[in-house]
Amino acid sequence: MYVQRNGLTLELVEGDITLQDTDAIVNAANSRLAGGGGVDGAIHRRGGPAIMAETDEKYPEGCPTGSAVISGAGRLAAKYVIHAVGPVWSGGSHREPELLACAVERCLELALDSGCRSIAFPAISTGIYGYPRGDAARIVLQVALDFQDRFQGPALIRFVLFDHSAYSDFAEALRELVPQTEG
Ligand code: ADP
């Protein structure tokens, strides 16, 4: 399913973030950039040790919640991994929506600054971090659409959902935001 406006595409696919051949893929990292389960574990396993070696060297202090840092992508098909630190869900009144939006926006800024024309996101914060998926979907999709409108890029923003139920939640949110969604 996709939305196309002004030559820019936002799309939803069901799949595995580690297999995407976009210029950048986004990792759902933790603030110590210490590796973990879920997306993070899968990216480091498939990408190899070069990714962690680079983040250890460049970002020894880690990365605050609501922000992101960029590294090479080791053996992955992408050129860059952007390590985003989304909020842990703790009820919704601890700035979770704002922190999630800021993390996504920072990823998009880093992608444009590095010359990326395409970027793929997993559903940040909706796994181990417990963010309700429909709410997260509305926030991250709105940020992505607004960013493309403002900066005319990246040309392709793809959300890669790991299973059908995640895809459905994102699809419903995208249809609410953009009724003329196709596919
Ligand atoms: P967080 O700690 O930010 O919640 P997780 O890695 O636990 O991050 O999960 C984020 C989302 O990514 C979850 O919806 C999970 O199902 C999904 N996910 C897990 N592995 C992959 C993968 N290889 N590709 C895409 N999405 C994945």
Side-chain angles (χ1 to χ4, degrees):
M1 157 179 283
Y2 62 95
V3 175
Q4 241 167 0
R5 294 168 318 161
N6 305 321
L8 305 166
T9 303
L10 184 150
E11 75 175 339
L12 309 182
V13 302
E14 200 176 319
D16 183 336
I17 190 79
T18 66
L19 301 178
Q20 305 302 310
D21 61 0
T22 41
D23 291 337
I25 64 168
V26 174
N27 182 14
N30 55 58
S31 57
R32 289 174 299 124
L33 303 178
V39 170
D40 202 344
I43 285 178
H44 287 293
R45 261 194 312 279
R46 200 179 285 271
I51 301 174
M52 185 77 80
E54 184 178 340
T55 56
D56 282 350
E57 192 197 320
K58 285 192 179 150
Y59 314 108
E61 323 257 271
C63 172
T65 302
S67 190
V69 296
I70 189 165
S71 74
R75 295 194 293 259
L76 298 172
K79 293 193 195 107
Y80 300 102
V81 175
I82 298 178
H83 306 265
V85 185
V88 176
W89 178 258
S90 34
S93 56
H94 295 81
R95 297 177 55 231
E96 293 96 330
E98 178 192 337
L99 291 166
L100 182 59
C102 286
V104 170
E105 180 148 328
R106 185 70 191 128
C107 290
L108 292 166
E109 285 169 1
L110 287 168
L112 274 196
D113 288 351
S114 306
C116 295
R117 294 180 45 76
S118 56
I119 180 170
F121 283 88
I124 297 168
S125 283
T126 68
I128 297 157
Y129 281 7
Y131 208 117
R133 203 161 52 204
D135 295 341
R138 276 188 291 278
I139 290 168
V140 302
L141 291 169
Q142 185 71 66
V143 170
L145 290 163
D146 288 349
F147 193 92
Q148 278 182 325
D149 284 347
R150 267 191 292 152
F151 298 103
Q152 295 303 300
L156 172 65
I157 303 178
R158 178 184 292 160
F159 288 88
V160 181
L161 292 322
F162 206 39
D163 57 32
H164 192 68
S165 118
Y167 181 87
S168 298
D169 287 346
F170 271 68
E172 188 181 331
L174 187 58
R175 272 192 225 97
E176 270 171 36
L177 293 172
V178 188
Q180 65 273 31
T181 297
E182 297 183 58

